[in-house]
Amino acid sequence: MDYQKILNTIDEELSYRDVSGKVASYIPELAKIDPRKFGMHVFCGDNQHFSFGDSDELFSVQSIAKVFSLSMAMRIMGEDLWDRVDVEPSGDAFNSLSQLEYENGIPRNPFINAGALIIADILVDQLENPEQELLDFVRKITQDNSINFDPKITASEKETGYRNIALVNYMKALGNIKCDVEPVVDFYFHLCSLAMSCKQLAQAFMLYANKGKILGTEEQVLTPVTVKRINSLMQTCGFYDEAGEFSFEVGLPGKSGVGGGIVAIHPEQYSVAVWSPILNEQGNSSLGMKALKRLTSLTGVSVF
Ligand code: DON
């Protein structure tokens, strides 16, 4: 497969001018991102890398990081985790509160904000220094010790994170948050403020394309069963109320973030990350979705 030729075709065909939508602004610091940014990076199982555009530039990964915190919580909690959060698509917006009341505070899945906040509660409850252990985990699976939080993004979300603070308080009132609210939302804001490039994200997500082993060191970080479950959740829940559309058009397990990033994996073939900050109404990168649709159309393969 000539991935560089395919990426060059995507780069030539697509541009930020092709899509409508807007850069996220409810987190004020995100509103400063240049909407013209566009980069893509494919990391193949044979250790080859292919890319174009702004693929080495750091950006805020936002909800993409929920895959990392979920991985850590699954290792710690095992089957007990699924008493706290379900594994079903929500069909609602990523920040919806509506289903919590009639589901007794148990979120539909770990990728909507409510679910990710339960995962945050678990890590704050179980770990001595959850922020540092998150960094250690992400640096290890990326094999890159330069990865860090963006403090401006952390602070910006902390200043305006009323909806997430409401979600944690509501779930605490319903008995599904064990820790104090402050450290839980603080960890969550740090999680979402991880700054990574398309290349670093593709390197990190090779773990999920490689049955839980780090390519190169072959260290088994997650079990194949854990990876199967995470990939299935990315497939069914990774794009919230647009998960069906992503499966229909792209056909890979993936995860989006309001910083404009999308990652996806083709098991045992490649991991791919794309960044274009212009978001559609569901909070997913419009151009990123188009680019990944072209990738699986031009390669002719998806998981289906
Ligand atoms: O909690 C929030 O609203 C953001 N920190 C993350 C939301 C997000 O990335 C949704 N994914 N498209």
Side-chain angles (χ1 to χ4, degrees), residues 26-27 30 61-64 66 94-95 111 113 157 164 188-189 192-193 238-240 255-259 261 279 282-285:
Y26 72 102
I27 301 172
L30 290 182
V61 302
Q62 292 296 316
S63 282
I64 292 170
K66 294 170 177 177
F94 63 83
N95 54 7
F111 290 148
N113 284 11
E157 188 156 15
N164 287 317
Y188 176 82
F189 294 147
C192 291
S193 71
F239 293 77
Y240 316 106
K255 186 70 199 79
S256 61
V258 290
L279 306 180
Q282 287 75 29
N284 301 314
S285 171

Side-chain angles (χ1 to χ4, degrees), residues 4 16 44 46 85 92 141 149 172 185 189 196 201 211 218 252 273-274 281:
Q4 195 57 59
Y16 74 96
C44 294
D46 60 4
V85 60
D92 268 347
I141 69 172
F149 306 115
K172 191 164 181 69
V185 292
F189 294 147
M196 297 174 74
L201 280 169
K211 296 187 176 179
E218 300 313 297
L252 299 173
V274 58
E281 289 180 5

Side-chain angles (χ1 to χ4, degrees), residues 60-62 148-151 153-154 188-195:
S60 188
V61 302
Q62 292 296 316
N148 216 323
F149 306 115
D150 179 336
I153 298 284
T154 317
Y188 176 82
F189 294 147
H190 277 87
L191 171 73
C192 291
S193 71
L194 277 169

